[in-house]
Amino acid sequence: MIKKVDHIAVAVRDVEKAAEFYEKVLGLTLGGIEEVEGMDVKVGFLPVGDTRIELVQPLDPNSGLAKFIEKRGEGIHHICYEVDDVKEALQTCKARGARLIDETPRPGAHKTLVGFIHPKSTGGVLTELTEHPDGS
Ligand code: CO
């Protein structure tokens, strides 16, 4: 079901500022910045091999992400795994006892489909599943 780690998301207050560590210290390259429609987040992508780090900045102060940073500070927010079919993978996880945040997939960055599994059923790690439209 799982193909690979698609990305690791880090909650930040400011994408450009946070990217400095990854670029200047780790020598990675910020591949792009995207504002995800409907999710009120600004996302900076840093490719690492065939996976990537995503710096996610809340644009809405009332969003879950903003509250996460307020409560816990900046840091790792979620791990995302790539699957062939998000809808099917979500149902499989549910059938295996996981508590879903998304019963059905929703649009993510880069025209992907995504769905989240609740951290209460994953040992505390917010877990995202993603499907790339062209299988890339
Ligand atoms: Co993500």
Side-chain angles (χ1 to χ4, degrees):
M1 179 170 71
I2 304 292
K3 291 165 84 176
K4 65 168 196 176
V5 172
D6 186 81
H7 61 270
I8 295 168
V10 180
V12 300
R13 291 192 175 89
D14 182 314
V15 168
E16 284 87 354
K17 201 166 159 243
E20 285 178 18
F21 163 75
Y22 295 89
E23 294 200 296
K24 290 182 182 160
V25 179
L26 297 186
L28 299 173
T29 304
L30 189 59
I33 293 179
E34 186 179 329
E35 290 190 11
V36 185
E37 256 177 77
M39 286 178 83
D40 290 320
V41 289
K42 184 171 168 183
V43 186
F45 304 90
L46 295 129
V48 187
D50 69 348
T51 185
R52 63 186 187 275
I53 300 293
E54 284 191 10
L55 305 177
V56 289
Q57 172 190 336
L59 298 175
D60 174 1
N62 296 311
S63 64
L65 183 60
K67 283 174 187 150
F68 175 94
I69 293 175
E70 213 172 278
K71 203 169 146 193
R72 303 163 70 163
E74 295 177 305
I76 289 187
H77 185 258
H78 65 264
I79 293 178
C80 179
Y81 300 96
E82 186 187 348
V83 297
D84 286 315
D85 183 329
V86 173
K87 193 177 173 194
E88 192 183 290
L90 284 170
Q91 291 319 308
T92 300
C93 291
K94 188 180 178 179
R96 291 175 181 173
R99 177 173 152 198
L100 303 181
I101 291 174
D102 297 304
E103 291 288 333
T104 52
R106 54 169 140 139
H110 288 329
K111 299 190 166 77
T112 53
L113 277 178
V114 306
F116 284 89
I117 304 172
H118 201 285
K120 283 220 165 99
S121 65
T122 66
V125 180
L126 177 59
T127 300
E128 179 182 21
L129 302 174
T130 189
E131 165 190 339
H132 293 237
D134 52 359
S136 65

